[in-house]
Amino acid sequence: MELKEARYILAIAKHKSIGKAAESLFISQPSLSKYLKNLEDHLGAPLFNRRDGGYYPTYLGERYLHYAKRIVAYGDEWNREHDDITHRERGRLNIAIPLMLGSTLIQPTLMQFHNRYPYVTFNIKEEASFVAEASLKSHSIDLTIYNVHEFPKLLDYQVLREEEIVLILPSGHSLAQKAQIIPGFHHPWIDLELFRDENFILLYPDQNTGGIALNLFQEYGMNPPVLLHTRNSEMSIKLAMDGLGAAFAPESYYRQVASERGHGSLCLSVGKQQVLTTTIAAWQKNRYQPQYVRDYIGILRDFCAASALEGSSGE
């Protein structure tokens, strides 16, 4: 099995269409059809059943695809390593990241990376929904950056930062005066029990902050009214600032939005102990990472460390 052959068959399986597969491979449809026929003749059995206008793998096709994926993965890894060895400063960096995290991490660090590696192309796959291990099933993604409260077991990763999950309220909220300074918390602390009947704006449970919120409610035995579920962290923060309901967010997300908005808002600590989330850069286990990828992770870590010092000095 050759690398080109593996890519061709994987494309047909992905698109279930010769036409769409050929388009994705930048070859003609007749050429791909002929390639598939010659390969099936050589193997002595079909790789695909043709039904309902689509191409679906036979059992032989399923086994072929199993090995084809491995060959393509090794081929991609070799291409990256070869490019790193021969060009050093040229390449491509593909990152999957949640929308808000992209604004708080990628945007402020990209220029520094570009100045160091001006010939490395940077592709960002931004998601409004949960970004985690699933994004790395695509071998086209080099890094996925996201917040976790449990570290992944099936990925290699580098911790970028640890930060507090805070409660966001408008500055004039009636409960704000009950906040108090307590050692061990970065912000004035307020008893979440007071919000048992308050309206909330929550992210979905499969998102890190949404899952943390539900864990907090369970810890306090609460089931408060939820006016809105959203996957948009920025919108939840802005609506909380406007007074629609209370919201949870990582501290860096709150700072980003607060710096862009002029009117007042409150950022409070909650929980029986400090509620923390960890941001990681993760990649497939044992995957070769070019020097420019390793350097960008270093840039991210330095930025996070500097931001943490700036935040603590501004308290």
Side-chain angles (χ1 to χ4, degrees):
M1 186 187 299
E2 297 178 354
L3 179 58
K4 181 177 77 171
E5 175 186 305
R7 292 189 190 278
Y8 282 8
I9 303 307
L10 283 169
I12 296 171
K14 176 182 178 181
H15 295 284
K16 297 182 174 59
S17 160
I18 290 288
K20 291 180 180 178
E23 184 178 349
S24 72
L25 294 166
F26 302 101
I27 62 174
S28 69
Q29 182 173 337
S31 295
L32 185 57
S33 294
K34 183 178 180 181
Y35 198 96
L36 176 60
K37 182 181 183 305
N38 290 340
L39 177 58
E40 290 180 326
D41 288 345
H42 173 72
L43 294 173
L47 292 172
F48 296 94
N49 288 318
R50 285 74 162 171
R51 65 174 188 273
D52 301 326
Y55 284 67
Y56 299 89
T58 60
Y59 178 71
L60 177 65
E62 290 175 358
R63 298 309 302 154
Y64 183 99
L65 290 167
H66 170 76
Y67 290 101
K69 290 175 183 176
R70 295 166 72 176
I71 286 174
V72 168
Y74 280 120
D76 289 344
E77 188 165 350
W78 159 245
N79 288 337
R80 284 191 300 273
E81 185 166 355
H82 174 261
D83 190 63
D84 189 33
I85 293 169
T86 56
H87 298 102
R88 199 65 176 172
E89 295 183 351
R90 293 182 181 270
R92 181 179 60 218
L93 177 51
N94 298 326
I95 292 180
I97 191 168
L99 279 167
M100 190 68 186
L101 195 54
S103 298
T104 59
L105 270 186
I106 304 298
Q107 182 178 327
T109 57
L110 187 53
M111 201 63 218
Q112 182 181 351
F113 176 79
H114 176 69
N115 288 337
R116 189 180 301 182
Y117 292 101
Y119 302 109
V120 173
T121 302
F122 209 103
N123 298 317
I124 306 173
K125 180 182 179 184
E126 295 173 294
E127 302 283 358
S129 59
F130 184 59
V131 172
E133 291 90 332
S135 67
L136 288 175
K137 290 181 180 178
S138 167
H139 291 284
S140 64
I141 299 297
D142 300 302
L143 293 175
T144 183
I145 301 174
Y146 64 109
N147 294 322
V148 298
H149 55 276
E150 291 184 5
F151 293 109
K153 296 181 175 63
L154 302 178
L155 299 174
D156 286 331
Y157 62 88
Q158 176 70 63
V159 172
L160 300 178
R161 68 181 174 198
E162 188 176 65
E163 63 177 329
E164 189 175 1
I165 295 291
V166 295
L167 182 71
I168 300 161
L169 302 172
S171 57
H173 196 281
S174 60
L175 293 173
Q177 60 186 357
K178 295 185 180 295
Q180 52 189 304
I181 303 299
I182 295 182
F185 292 91
H186 288 168
H187 305 278
W189 178 89
I190 195 164
D191 188 355
L192 197 60
E193 173 71 30
L194 298 171
F195 293 82
R196 184 173 294 274
D197 298 317
E198 293 289 314
N199 293 323
F200 275 85
I201 304 160
L202 296 182
L203 301 185
Y204 282 93
D206 65 345
Q207 295 173 273
N208 185 61
T209 303
I212 288 174
L214 292 187
N215 289 340
L216 277 170
F217 292 155
Q218 185 176 12
E219 183 180 0
Y220 278 81
M222 295 170 56
N223 187 26
V226 179
L227 283 184
L228 173 69
H229 277 102
T230 177
R231 293 194 178 277
N232 189 322
S233 297
E234 183 176 5
M235 182 168 69
S236 72
I237 295 169
K238 288 180 177 179
L239 289 174
M241 290 177 168
D242 291 339
L244 182 66
F248 296 101
E251 184 177 357
S252 62
Y253 288 20
Y254 168 76
R255 285 181 183 164
Q256 174 79 12
V257 177
S259 68
E260 297 170 355
R261 299 195 117 197
H263 62 76
S265 58
L266 296 174
C267 171
L268 302 174
S269 294
V270 294
K272 297 176 181 178
Q273 57 186 5
Q274 197 177 32
V275 182
L276 299 173
T277 187
T278 303
T279 305
I280 65 171
W283 57 94
Q284 291 172 347
K285 270 192 176 296
N286 303 317
R287 179 172 182 170
Y288 174 79
Q289 294 289 20
Q291 184 63 45
Y292 58 80
V293 177
R294 300 194 292 274
D295 284 349
Y296 186 58
I297 293 172
I299 289 172
L300 290 171
R301 290 186 66 193
D302 291 345
F303 171 78
C304 289
S307 297
L309 287 174
E310 181 182 341
S312 61
S313 64
E315 294 301 328

